[in-house]
């Protein structure tokens, strides 16, 4: 049980996200200081950012930051 009010649960990872260190089971909580509340909102935020985003991720009782290079980067 995650006990989280917000976030995007990761079910599979590939490409740049995998290279950045995201893994299956991670929960993306924040993207560039914006709390993630839905897939649609995450996609909108992700497409409007620069070459690198900062993701705040919940992983196995830890919260970590992961920098992720975007396609524009």
């Amino acid at each position: 049980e995650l006990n989280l009010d917000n976030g995007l649960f990761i079910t599979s990872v590939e490409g740049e996200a995998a290279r950045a260190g995201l893994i299956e089971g991670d929960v993306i909580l924040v993207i560039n200081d914006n709390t993630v509340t839905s897939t649609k909102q995450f996609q909108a935020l992700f497409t409007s950012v620069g070459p690198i985003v900062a993701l705040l991720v919940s992983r196995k009782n830890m919260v970590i930051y992961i920098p992720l290079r975007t396609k524009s980067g």
Side-chain angles (χ1 to χ4, degrees), residues 16 46 49-53 68-73:
E16 196 61 45
F46 194 80
V49 297
I52 297 178
V53 296
L68 175 62
R69 185 174 306 279
T70 66
K71 287 186 178 181
S72 64

Side-chain angles (χ1 to χ4, degrees), residues 9-14 17 23-25:
F9 184 77
I10 304 298
T11 57
S12 67
V13 183
E14 58 186 43
I23 60 173
E24 184 178 321

